[in-house]
Amino acid sequence: MKTLIVYYSFEGNTRYVAQLLAEKLDADTLELEPVKDYPRGKASKYVFGGAAASLSAAPELKPYVCEPEKYDLMILGSPVWAGRTAPPLNTFLKSHNLRQSRVAAFACCAGGSTERLFAMLEKNVGGLTARASFIDPASHREAAQEEAARFASVLLRP
Ligand SMILES: Cc1cc2nc3c(=O)[nH]c(=O)nc-3n(C[C@H](O)[C@H](O)[C@H](O)COP(=O)(O)O)c2cc1C
């Protein structure tokens, strides 16, 4: 099964899960990077990032190559921002129609709900094969590894 994991990570948690999954699924990875980074101050990141997510912003991304039709499975990964997808994922989804692809998704949060994010993705891609939620996985590695193993086993099921 040829798998591509497309993700955005602001502070490393989503990247950590993407790497766990890439090892388990022998998948390729594509990290999305906005041309203009978000402020990294303790408060300013929530103000600017949260506002951008609430407005469903779609920032310009650094150039990348992605051909979803070459993959049997696409996995989307995003941190939860104001309950929603982080904006770089919005840009990716505007640029690629995944309705013909098999798509799964995972979300990283700090303990809030991931439901709205998954609902946004489902609406966009027309349904998710599987989903997984992680709470700040880079600091909760044991729980993250368990959830990644569960998610991977669902995806590997024939
Ligand atoms: C702008 C911003 C908004 C956030 N909004 C939420 C939220 O609504 N709910 C939540 O549980 N966590 C929220 N978080 C926390 C992140 O989703 C969480 O720490 C996640 O693991 C970060 O992933 P990353 O390290 O890949 O960026 C927010 C973080 C940022 C920077």
Side-chain angles (χ1 to χ4, degrees):
M1 180 174 66
K2 213 164 147 39
T3 303
L4 177 64
I5 303 170
V6 179
Y7 68 95
Y8 168 69
S9 184
F10 183 58
E11 294 180 307
N13 290 279
T14 312
R15 184 182 306 115
Y16 172 70
V17 174
Q19 287 165 354
L20 280 182
L21 293 172
E23 273 176 35
K24 289 184 188 304
L25 299 168
D26 193 21
D28 295 339
T29 57
L30 168 62
E31 178 166 2
L32 304 174
E33 291 179 86
V35 169
K36 190 169 175 278
D37 194 14
Y38 292 94
R40 289 183 179 267
K42 267 188 181 164
S44 59
K45 65 181 181 185
Y46 292 110
V47 174
F48 289 96
S54 298
L55 294 168
S56 298
E60 186 186 348
L61 301 179
K62 291 186 185 170
Y64 62 85
V65 177
C66 177
E67 295 172 289
E69 60 285 355
K70 292 201 170 157
Y71 290 90
D72 306 304
L73 173 66
M74 297 283 294
I75 302 178
L76 304 174
S78 175
V80 176
W81 276 16
R84 301 164 170 84
T85 46
L89 252 289
N90 300 338
T91 313
F92 179 82
L93 291 168
K94 279 192 177 173
S95 315
H96 302 275
N97 181 348
L98 300 184
R99 288 187 170 269
Q100 305 308 320
S101 304
R102 183 177 176 229
V103 186
F106 68 93
C108 297
C109 68
S113 173
T114 52
E115 279 309 309
R116 186 175 195 168
L117 182 153
F118 287 129
M120 285 169 80
L121 291 179
E122 293 226 318
K123 197 170 165 202
N124 198 295
V125 305
L128 295 171
T129 293
R131 46 163 87 178
S133 300
F134 298 85
I135 298 178
D136 286 336
S139 352
H140 300 93
R141 295 192 173 207
E142 206 173 312
Q145 282 175 9
E146 273 176 32
E147 179 63 352
R150 182 202 65 79
F151 188 49
S153 74
V154 171
L155 294 172
L156 288 170
R157 234 177 257 157

